Amino acid sequence: MDNRQAIGSWLSGPRAAAEDMGADFGHRGERLGLPAEGPGAIAPLGRRFGALFVDWGLCLLIAYGFFAGGDREVAGNWALGIFLVLGVLTVGTVGFTPGKRLFGLRVVAEDGGRLGVFRVLVRTVLLCLALPALIWDRDGRGLHDRLARAVQVRM
């Protein structure tokens, strides 16, 4: 075997090279006991981004209309606070934000139950910091979800 095959090309990446050598990663969420597709499966990245954009847009609209007095720069600061409150209240009570509901997603604990208030607070604060949400594991869960022991699934 040539070293290029063991390392993987810049196009295929190291995961493809490991799969070529016989490694079986399974589907996303398999380690958590979640199905590969359908309700209860790990939420796809596109739907999660769509839900995030809807929620952020809603928060910007509320901030601009009620708190910023027409100043767009101030609206961004208020929107972050509103996003924090929206996330804690909605995920903590019903398990989803308006954007997640629109895209058919729900946030649950790793064992499938509801998240406690403290875990929702930790998850939402880390999400507001943005960087933990950009670090993913092989199941596609962000660091904010891993630390809160949460998972976003399809409804």
Side-chain angles (χ1 to χ4, degrees):
M1 175 187 302
D2 173 347
N3 280 344
R4 289 175 293 172
Q5 288 178 329
I7 296 171
S9 77
W10 65 276
L11 289 175
S12 64
R15 180 180 177 134
E19 287 173 343
D20 288 343
M21 292 188 306
D24 181 23
F25 291 107
H27 65 272
R28 291 181 341 154
E30 184 174 18
R31 294 182 305 156
L32 300 170
L34 300 174
E37 295 180 14
I42 295 265
L45 189 61
R47 284 188 186 190
R48 291 188 300 189
F49 276 131
L52 179 67
F53 289 135
V54 167
D55 290 336
W56 183 250
L58 180 64
C59 292
L60 273 173
L61 200 65
I62 292 169
Y64 187 76
F66 293 110
F67 299 104
D71 187 358
R72 286 186 292 170
E73 291 178 13
V74 173
N77 294 333
W78 277 103
L80 187 60
I82 293 168
F83 185 80
L84 178 74
V85 171
L86 177 77
V88 170
L89 290 179
T90 58
V91 173
T93 55
V94 293
F96 49 79
T97 61
K100 287 185 190 335
R101 177 67 180 147
L102 184 67
F103 282 86
L105 306 178
R106 179 179 212 96
V107 179
V108 297
E110 287 177 338
D111 62 5
R114 296 182 80 168
L115 288 177
V117 176
F118 179 74
R119 287 169 51 186
V120 170
L121 183 63
V122 166
R123 181 187 181 278
T124 308
V125 167
L126 290 172
L127 182 59
C128 287
L129 294 176
L131 186 61
L134 298 175
I135 302 170
W136 301 327
D137 65 3
R138 78 176 201 204
D139 289 323
R141 292 190 312 154
L143 186 58
H144 66 296
D145 280 333
R146 288 194 49 107
L147 292 175
R149 295 189 328 266
V151 62
Q152 293 185 57
V153 296
R154 293 180 179 180
M155 290 172 68

